Amino acid sequence: MRAKGISYDTGFVPGGTGTVERFDLDVVRRELEIIRDDLHCTAVQLVGGDPERLERAAACAAELGLEVWFSPYPLEMTAEEMLALFADCAERAERIRRSGAEVVFVAGSELTVMDRGFLPGDTLKERLDALLGRRELAAEAGKRVAAFLAEAAAVVRERFGGKVTYAAIPFEPVDWSLFDFVTVELIRSAEVADRFQEGVRALVAQGRPVAITGFGTATWRGAADVAPRSMEIIEYDEDTGLPARLTGTYERDEEGQATYLRELLEIFEAEGVDSAFVHTFALPALPHRPDGDPRDDLDLASLGIVKVYADRDGDTYPGLRWDPKPAFAAVAACYGK
């Protein structure tokens, strides 16, 4: 693969809350150095909802020689709000690109279900419920998304001189002639495992460079079989909307997560995928709590390849509040070949 990458969360801001409460640029730089040197990544997908955080992280990544996939991630936004976000971020990404860095702008992800105006419903759950079994509704939503992406691509290209893409859900009908990469959030579950590699091959056969984003699985036994839904074991606080506990008791299976990522990266390499971005490096909102009630160990639901601690530093990298899982070594081995 040309670009060997991982996604890095700079903080989402749905409902006024964030997945990364503390944005320490010194920590960001150190983690990006680890991503480059120890994970052997050549690229990083910087994801989040705060344009300033994205730009600052992108500047760090660029200085370290990483290819930057600048990925504003709108959540629960209207079309007008998204266009304003993309315009702002495109100008910021262009500043990074003009410094000499290789920068790709990702104009959103999974918009059909993650944002407002394409499907009925004010929440993700309502939109997903509306979509189930209603092909005509999916077709109508697809037309709206296609029209929006044409407008979004124009807005971005007016301000950004590099390559542009969109991270699609497989069922979204994207006009890829608008973009420089076919980029798909492609996650293998047991239901599609027998035809997953064939699907990757078909994407590559289209002739445009293919990037795979969003693939990963949680850390409980059996998560890989339901990988797109492996975070659904989280119970959320009704008042804050933040993760509170797990829905039950689950067995930790760190090796299962590592095997899953290794297998997918080997498929992507074999089928000629241009770029791959493991999801994800860390999810601070899902800390590892090995002691006490097993339902409090939110890391079991995390797709992060490191386990984050809520109240202490890790042992591997002094001063950083996480330790690698076996998935970290698996990704490093695949990328370091």
Side-chain angles (χ1 to χ4, degrees):
M1 285 182 293
R2 183 192 62 81
K4 302 174 181 180
I6 193 163
S7 65
Y8 184 89
D9 180 9
T10 63
F12 297 103
V13 286
T17 61
T19 52
V20 178
E21 293 184 6
R22 297 177 300 171
F23 185 80
D24 185 325
L25 202 58
D26 290 335
V27 171
V28 170
R29 179 179 293 276
R30 190 171 175 202
E31 290 178 340
L32 289 172
E33 288 175 345
I34 291 167
I35 284 170
R36 181 194 64 183
D37 298 338
D38 295 3
L39 272 183
H40 309 298
C41 287
T42 61
V44 62
Q45 183 182 16
L46 299 172
V47 184
D50 185 317
E52 183 176 352
R53 286 186 179 188
L54 285 168
E55 183 177 9
R56 293 170 70 191
C60 284
E63 289 172 7
L64 294 170
L66 289 164
E67 180 173 308
V68 177
W69 285 50
F70 199 108
S71 305
Y73 197 112
L75 289 171
E76 300 298 346
M77 287 187 176
T78 64
E80 292 75 13
E81 290 169 336
M82 284 189 279
L83 290 175
L85 174 66
F86 292 163
D88 182 0
C89 287
E91 293 174 357
R92 295 171 185 270
E94 179 64 7
R95 288 197 286 268
I96 303 300
R97 191 186 72 86
R98 289 187 177 181
S99 73
E102 186 68 31
V103 183
V104 177
F105 191 93
V106 185
S109 176
E110 307 174 318
L111 299 182
T112 301
V113 296
M114 301 307 295
D115 292 276
R116 299 178 180 180
F118 305 113
L119 285 169
D122 293 328
T123 67
L124 172 61
K125 184 179 186 306
E126 289 175 356
R127 292 189 289 270
L128 289 174
D129 288 346
L131 189 61
L132 289 176
R134 299 180 63 184
R135 292 186 178 180
E136 73 288 351
L137 192 61
E140 293 171 6
K143 292 178 182 177
R144 296 188 189 100
V145 170
F148 173 79
L149 288 176
E151 188 173 1
V155 165
V156 171
R157 291 195 187 277
E158 286 174 2
R159 297 162 174 82
F160 177 71
K163 294 179 180 178
V164 182
T165 191
Y166 166 69
I169 309 171
F171 70 78
E172 290 178 316
V174 178
D175 177 3
W176 291 113
S177 68
L178 295 169
F179 300 107
D180 299 289
F181 295 88
V182 173
T183 302
V184 183
E185 304 265 298
L186 201 62
I187 311 173
R188 189 187 69 182
S189 66
E191 295 172 324
V192 300
D194 61 340
R195 54 192 184 277
F196 183 84
Q197 186 161 356
E198 181 181 344
V200 175
R201 187 177 305 137
L203 285 171
V204 174
Q206 296 179 31
R208 194 176 293 269
V210 171
I212 307 296
T213 57
F215 65 95
T217 190
T219 322
W220 51 278
R221 188 167 302 280
D225 290 338
V226 295
R229 305 182 301 278
S230 62
M231 296 181 72
E232 292 182 1
I233 64 170
I234 300 172
E235 184 177 309
Y236 293 88
D237 185 280
E238 293 183 1
D239 296 325
T240 66
L242 296 175
R245 64 192 63 81
L246 302 181
T247 58
T249 301
Y250 298 86
E251 182 181 354
R252 177 169 287 273
D253 184 19
E254 294 184 354
E255 290 296 338
Q257 182 193 39
T259 297
Y260 179 89
L261 290 175
R262 185 184 305 113
E263 290 175 353
L264 264 61
L265 288 171
E266 288 174 352
I267 289 172
F268 300 155
E269 179 71 32
E271 297 302 333
V273 167
D274 177 87
S275 311
F277 294 89
V278 173
H279 185 72
T280 184
F281 183 72
L283 288 176
L286 301 176
H288 178 44
R289 299 186 181 107
D291 303 317
D293 189 335
R295 294 181 63 193
D296 292 333
D297 187 6
L298 291 171
D299 176 71
L300 286 167
S302 173
L303 278 63
I305 65 169
V306 305
K307 47 194 170 189
V308 179
Y309 302 107
D311 53 6
R312 70 173 181 89
D313 289 346
D315 299 318
T316 310
Y317 296 95
L320 297 178
R321 302 183 73 169
W322 51 264
D323 279 315
K325 301 177 189 176
F328 184 104
V331 172
C334 289
Y335 283 168
K337 291 179 180 178

